[in-house]
Amino acid sequence: MTDFWTVIGSSSVEDAREIDSALERISERLSTMTPAALTRFAERLQESLYRIDRRDLAELPVVLAGGLKLPQTSDHFLYARCACILAGEKAFADVLSSGAGFDHFVAPFAQEAEGLLYLAPEQYERQTGSRMTVDSDFSIESMSNVQGWAN
């Protein structure tokens, strides 16, 4: 079994280019995994996203280049959580324990991290010819409402 955080690795997530590079690296690692391992990876991703689905993080504003502050949408918040996971296990643990550093992932460039959601299902479909089914208490569809907040 391949460890989730080993597959994720870590990235400084400073710009869209670094996010794209991290996604390519993860995609390469996923390409060597069995369909069962891909499903476990997707389950673990959903659980990790759920664990940082917190109101205090969702309420951090998006700060645009001109200094304009806007509230996060539910999609923006989901992609910011993906960026946090791309940053690696330590960044994730810091955010989980104290929320520290999550504001970095709310930046507009971090929306590129959305691609993390599709890597395992796309690889699974390439290998099997069918869509991945993830049986989890942490489905993406249930997020942002389970923790008691919604936009």
Side-chain angles (χ1 to χ4, degrees):
M1 180 174 171
T2 305
D3 178 65
F4 176 79
W5 290 111
T6 300
V7 174
I8 293 293
S10 65
S11 174
S12 60
V13 187
E14 293 299 324
D15 56 34
R17 182 188 53 76
E18 286 186 13
I19 291 172
D20 289 341
S21 177
L23 292 172
E24 286 177 28
R25 184 182 67 248
I26 294 166
S27 182
E28 288 174 18
R29 291 174 181 163
L30 291 173
S31 72
T32 66
M33 295 169 65
T34 66
L38 290 166
T39 301
R40 286 191 302 273
F41 177 88
E43 290 167 349
R44 183 70 191 276
L45 175 60
Q46 288 183 359
E47 177 185 356
S48 298
L49 290 165
Y50 174 85
R51 292 179 67 201
I52 55 174
D53 184 0
R54 300 187 344 218
R55 179 181 296 274
D56 62 318
L57 302 176
E59 290 177 346
L60 291 172
V62 178
V63 181
L64 301 179
L68 178 64
K69 294 181 179 183
L70 300 171
Q72 292 184 73
T73 64
S74 57
D75 283 345
H76 189 104
F77 181 49
L78 175 59
Y79 308 153
R81 288 179 285 154
C82 288
C84 176
I85 290 168
L86 282 178
E89 187 173 16
K90 182 180 179 339
F92 178 83
D94 290 346
V95 167
L96 187 60
S97 68
S98 67
F102 192 77
D103 56 331
H104 176 70
F105 306 116
V106 177
F109 75 83
Q111 297 300 286
E112 293 291 320
E114 172 189 9
L116 181 60
L117 299 171
Y118 311 113
L119 295 179
E122 288 171 354
Q123 187 57 236
Y124 183 95
E125 192 165 340
R126 271 189 221 106
Q127 290 182 17
T128 67
S130 59
R131 294 181 62 124
M132 176 186 281
T133 302
V134 177
D135 185 24
S136 171
D137 293 335
F138 308 107
S139 72
I140 292 173
E141 292 77 24
S142 68
M143 282 187 225
S144 300
N145 292 322
V146 174
Q147 296 287 338
W149 72 275
N151 288 359

